[in-house]
Amino acid sequence: MERTLAIIKPDAVAAGYIGEIIRRIEEEGLRLVGMKLIHLQIREAEGFYYIHRDQPFFKELVDYMTSGPSVLIVLEGVDVINRWRKMIGPTDPQKAPRGTIRRDMGVSIGRNAVHGSDSAESASYEINYLFKGTDLLS
Ligand code: IDP
Ligand code: MG
């Protein structure tokens, strides 16, 4: 059993895609163990994405992630890290296969609708960064 962090990013929340994304999660049979709607503050977004702090797109990324509310979700399941990454597709929606969330709901590489942890290490960091243990189902 694994856990991963999913985020419905501000562009997808603003576009009214919360319901469709959660529908796909339920259809895939992934278990929701935590969920909250929050408007990330600049410092929180910078810390969340600190691994990208030297990238040229870092400020654009922080501006995007703090542009409105996001839905933060912790998912649990067998191989859930890979399964969720497969459901969302690659970073650039224009390169994402049909039927993936980023292809269907993303706009561009800078407005790509959703987040998914890319490894067990990042899942653990990201979940602990954004959730208290007591916010999660056991
Ligand atoms: P990932 O979300 O598919 O794991 P990462 O390379 O970890 O992709 O990048 C994190 C986030 O940074 C992306 O989801 C996207 O929102 C943003 N990003 C990545 N590359 C670019 C870029 O070239 N321009 C603008 N934003 C980018
Ligand atoms: Mg990543």
Side-chain angles (χ1 to χ4, degrees), residues 74-107:
V74 180
L75 299 174
E76 185 179 85
V78 174
D79 198 29
V80 71
I81 296 170
N82 284 325
R83 284 163 74 194
W84 175 243
R85 290 284 293 197
K86 206 164 177 194
M87 286 172 67
I88 72 180
T91 312
D92 183 352
Q94 285 166 355
K95 295 186 180 140
R98 277 176 213 286
T100 62
I101 293 170
R102 282 171 164 168
R103 170 67 172 258
D104 295 347
M105 291 168 247
V107 175

Side-chain angles (χ1 to χ4, degrees), residues 9 49 51-52 55-58 60-61 64-65 85 88-92 102 108-118 126:
K9 294 180 174 182
Y49 279 122
I51 199 164
H52 295 305
Q55 295 294 324
F57 58 81
F58 186 65
E60 179 187 343
L61 174 59
Y64 165 45
M65 293 302 291
R85 290 284 293 197
I88 72 180
T91 312
D92 183 352
R102 282 171 164 168
S108 64
I109 194 165
R111 297 182 76 79
N112 59 359
V114 281
H115 169 83
S117 310
D118 66 4
E126 292 171 2

Side-chain angles (χ1 to χ4, degrees), residues 44-55 58 125 129:
E44 289 175 306
E46 287 173 345
F48 181 76
Y49 279 122
Y50 86 100
I51 199 164
H52 295 305
R53 65 194 176 283
D54 296 325
Q55 295 294 324
F58 186 65
Y125 171 78
Y129 186 82

